[in-house]
Amino acid sequence: MRTFHCLSPFIWICIFHTFDTIASQEKSNSHLTSRSVTSPTKNDGKMLHRVKRGWMWNQFFLLEEYTGADTQYVGKLHTDQDKGDGNLKYILTGDGAGSLFVIDEKTGDIHAAKKLDREEKSLYILRAKAIDRKTGRQVEPESEFIIKIHDINDNEPKFTKDLYTASVPEMSGVGTSVIQVTATDADDANYGNSAKVVYSILQGQPYFSVDPESGVIKTALPDMSRENREQYQVVIQAKDMGGQMGGLSGTTTVNITLTDVNNNPPRFPQSTYHFNSPESVPPGTHLGRIKASDPDMGTNAEVQYSIAEGDGADIFEVVTDKDTQEGIITVKKNLDFEKKMLYTLRVDASNTHLDPRFLHLGPFKDTAVVKISVEDIDEPPVFSKLSYLIEVDEDVKEGSIIGQVTAYDPDAMNNLVKYSVDRHTDMDRIFSIHSENGSIFTLKPLDRESSPWHNITITATEINNPKQSTHIPVFIRILDINDHAPEFAMYYETFVCENAKSGQLIQTISVMDKDDPPRGHKFFFEPVPEFPLNPNFTIVDNKDNTAGIMTRKDGYSRNKMSTYLLPILIFDNDYPIQSSTGTLTIRVCACDNHGNMQSCNAEALILSAGLSTGALVAILLCVLILLTLVMLFAALKRQRKKEPLIISKDDVRDNIVTYNDEGGGEEDTQAFDIGTLRNPEAREDSKGRRDVLPESIFQVRRPAPLWENIDVQDFIRRRLKEHDADPSAPPYDSLATYAYEGADSVASSLSSLESLPADCNHDYDFLSDWGPRFKKLADLYGGDDSDRD
């Protein structure tokens, strides 16, 4: 490397001169200034000059990363016009001129001012000019030249990742590709071996290897087992200079995982398992778990359990738990200690996903023996059936046996059993049972029509252990017997028109029967034997459990007979035959020509004989008008005779005294001013509550609007209402009452003062007998004539 840095300026100048000589023969003079050579021409008689190259450079080369004490010399610019007297000035422009590259204006020497990095920029394009200092004229035209940076090995290889992750199946053969790693070198790949990278493995032998040129990592050992070792860490080195000494290098780490394959069969850790189960466990109960171990993972470790053989294959089953890969022993049917006490099963465990490449390693399943012991317990009694159905006629006598239930103790002790009826299911105590033999009998009469079914519960209990009991439902169906007579299905409102013709159908009747014969109902209709032949109506049996009522004559009269009673005999066909008599009421009605009923009342008949409907309406309207006129006349007369209540201020009814309170009685002479009656306009508007004492007795009252044309009776009624609602209206302990007789009577005054003649004498001595309170009246009216005069 130092050979390149120690080239003398002389050698560079020789190189430049050589390039200049060759270039002067090939390049045109469009880029370079030239000297002239004289040659004869006819152009204006002047001498023509041939141009000659004067620049002495072509392309420069410079080493990168120069570390010398002095600046690195690049080359020298020189023209033939330079006489060495310092009149010329060299100027450099272009990439890095003045900063990276500096030129001596006088000599044209070019130096690199800084250390250059080819990886940052490998090519610089510069332009040079030679200028006369005195005139400022270019003695040579501007020319372009290139400076190339020669590469040195200053960059180590770098991997695309600092850490790689890869996986390869276990048991893979030698040379199986795992992953490819890649390293790049920033140096110039076209110059020397600076960028030629070679891969090698530093860590991971002898399990893996790497291709030195491609960087592909491969397996190096056969049959590597994941169960022995799963993770591997491999370190790969990339070195430039073709791997030679002195080259730069970089490393990366590759984590390699061996993935699982199904190369291991399941194995039971023990050959025999033993479980105990009470005989009372219900089907579906889990008795225990077994597990075959498989060192594989995921789907390769999935195990399916099954019962291969044994004497309990139909009693038990094995269910696989997908989460834990365990086999769950489950009871499939009821156990019975008295029948079998020990079961022996052979259970297989096999892989569900097999790999054909490893079938040679052996069968991928294992077998274990499972023994199940049944434990005896005290069981409740067992009935011979799950439920019982008993049918009995509804006319069965009380105390009759209608059926029987049986139960037994399934235990080896075979304890005795007693029976009883659950009274919650037989609240009316209609049935009972013999406690020893289970015979069911009746206690009360049965009625199918009220209760066709009875559902009772029978309990069987061990005598020695009352806690052991069993309940069983018993369904009792009551069978029907013909014990109800048929009767009308509904109440019929039947009528016959007065203008009916003989043979007309006026009613169709049907019947109902509470019984339910097995062959269905069949009813018959006949006249009662007492009246075998009815002159007015006849009964026709329609043979479909209905009958029609037909007329037997033309025309019926309400005047002669308004209602007919037709008794009908109804009977069924069951055994014993039941019959009843139903009476049909038939009214005679007036009908129109179409047979539509108009009226059936006798009163309507009388009215229709004398007056028509229009005449009756006219009469009623006249009566209503007359009543209205009479009422208006009476009201006007009463209004004319009405007089004011108060005639003058001297009227004797100046005050109204009320003794309705329990306070002072007759001694309470506090009166109320009746002046308000004379002036109704001066009423008060207070509307408070009388049951609440007012906050202030002296309250400011608002003026009320004047009343116009108010009746005294209406005024008193309003005043009473106001006093009831006014808490400030005194007195608080008295009831203010205003009584009003109303208007004057049509019969005029009945006063004794006006009815007697002036010379009529009365005896008022009895007033003296009434006590001192009436003494004044006795003196006024009971005196002699002289006193009165």
Side-chain angles (χ1 to χ4, degrees), residues 15-32 52-59 143:
I15 295 174
F16 296 156
H17 276 289
T18 303
F19 289 150
D20 184 52
T21 303
I22 297 173
S24 63
Q25 298 175 2
E26 297 175 352
K27 291 187 178 182
S28 65
N29 57 3
S30 61
H31 299 287
L32 301 173
K52 180 182 178 182
R53 275 292 299 266
W55 290 104
M56 295 166 40
W57 74 86
N58 186 357
Q59 182 171 293
S143 181

Side-chain angles (χ1 to χ4, degrees), residues 268 290-292 303-307 318 320 325-327 347-349:
F268 283 106
I290 59 176
K291 184 176 183 180
V303 179
Q304 182 68 36
Y305 298 90
S306 61
I307 297 179
V318 181
T320 303
Q325 298 302 316
E326 294 177 319
V347 179
D348 289 341

Side-chain angles (χ1 to χ4, degrees), residues 381-432:
V382 177
F383 281 92
S384 59
K385 297 181 181 180
L386 297 178
S387 63
Y388 291 86
L389 173 62
I390 299 176
E391 294 182 344
V392 59
D393 293 332
E394 64 176 325
D395 61 346
V396 67
K397 296 181 179 179
E398 298 180 18
S400 300
I401 296 177
I402 61 175
Q404 185 180 16
V405 297
T406 57
Y408 65 94
D409 183 11
D411 297 323
M413 299 293 295
N414 195 14
N415 293 323
L416 295 178
V417 176
K418 65 178 181 179
Y419 304 93
S420 61
V421 177
D422 186 356
R423 289 304 172 189
H424 292 90
T425 61
D426 185 22
M427 302 293 292
D428 297 331
R429 294 183 175 271
I430 300 175
F431 304 96
S432 185

Side-chain angles (χ1 to χ4, degrees), residues 95-106:
D95 295 339
S99 58
L100 296 179
F101 304 101
V102 295
I103 187 171
D104 190 330
E105 295 179 352
K106 295 181 179 180

Side-chain angles (χ1 to χ4, degrees), residues 391-637:
E391 294 182 344
V392 59
D393 293 332
E394 64 176 325
D395 61 346
V396 67
K397 296 181 179 179
E398 298 180 18
S400 300
I401 296 177
I402 61 175
Q404 185 180 16
V405 297
T406 57
Y408 65 94
D409 183 11
D411 297 323
M413 299 293 295
N414 195 14
N415 293 323
L416 295 178
V417 176
K418 65 178 181 179
Y419 304 93
S420 61
V421 177
D422 186 356
R423 289 304 172 189
H424 292 90
T425 61
D426 185 22
M427 302 293 292
D428 297 331
R429 294 183 175 271
I430 300 175
F431 304 96
S432 185
I433 189 172
H434 289 285
S435 61
E436 296 180 0
N437 58 18
S439 298
I440 302 174
F441 57 93
T442 60
L443 297 176
K444 294 181 180 180
L446 303 178
D447 186 6
R448 187 201 66 84
E449 285 70 32
S450 61
S451 298
W453 285 89
H454 295 274
N455 302 328
I456 63 175
T457 300
I458 302 299
T459 303
T461 307
E462 292 185 12
I463 296 178
N464 295 335
N465 187 5
K467 294 182 179 179
Q468 296 296 334
S469 62
T470 304
H471 306 280
I472 198 73
V474 177
F475 306 102
I476 303 174
R477 179 183 180 184
I478 310 302
L479 301 179
D480 181 52
I481 62 171
N482 194 25
D483 58 347
H484 289 83
E487 56 187 13
F488 283 153
M490 58 179 293
Y491 174 75
Y492 292 98
E493 294 182 354
T494 307
F495 71 94
V496 62
C497 296
E498 287 183 308
N499 56 358
K501 302 297 182 181
S502 177
Q504 285 188 355
L505 175 66
I506 63 173
Q507 183 69 61
T508 299
I509 60 175
S510 61
V511 296
M512 49 131 357
D513 194 336
K514 295 181 181 180
D515 295 321
D516 188 15
R519 295 186 301 272
H521 289 290
K522 181 63 178 176
F523 303 113
F524 302 93
F525 305 86
E526 293 180 358
V528 295
E530 294 81 3
F531 304 98
L533 184 62
N534 192 307
N536 299 308
F537 305 97
T538 183
I539 304 170
V540 178
D541 193 342
N542 297 327
K543 307 301 182 181
D544 59 353
N545 293 338
T546 63
I549 309 302
M550 311 290 290
T551 59
R552 298 193 66 173
K553 65 179 183 178
D554 294 337
Y556 295 84
S557 176
R558 284 182 289 173
N559 293 328
K560 296 180 180 180
M561 180 69 71
S562 63
T563 303
Y564 292 91
L565 299 179
L566 179 61
I568 302 173
L569 178 63
I570 310 168
F571 57 93
D572 55 23
N573 66 333
D574 205 356
Y575 180 81
I577 295 177
Q578 299 289 338
S579 64
S580 66
T581 300
T583 301
L584 190 65
T585 301
I586 304 173
R587 294 188 298 165
V588 181
C589 300
C591 303
D592 57 13
N593 296 330
H594 300 284
N596 298 321
M597 181 183 67
Q598 291 182 337
S599 175
C600 297
N601 296 329
E603 293 80 1
L605 179 63
I606 296 173
L607 291 175
S608 62
L611 296 174
S612 63
T613 304
L616 291 176
V617 173
I619 293 173
L620 291 176
L621 288 176
C622 292
V623 172
L624 182 61
I625 293 172
L626 290 174
L627 289 175
T628 304
L629 293 175
V630 171
M631 292 177 64
L632 289 175
F633 178 76
L636 291 174
K637 182 177 180 181

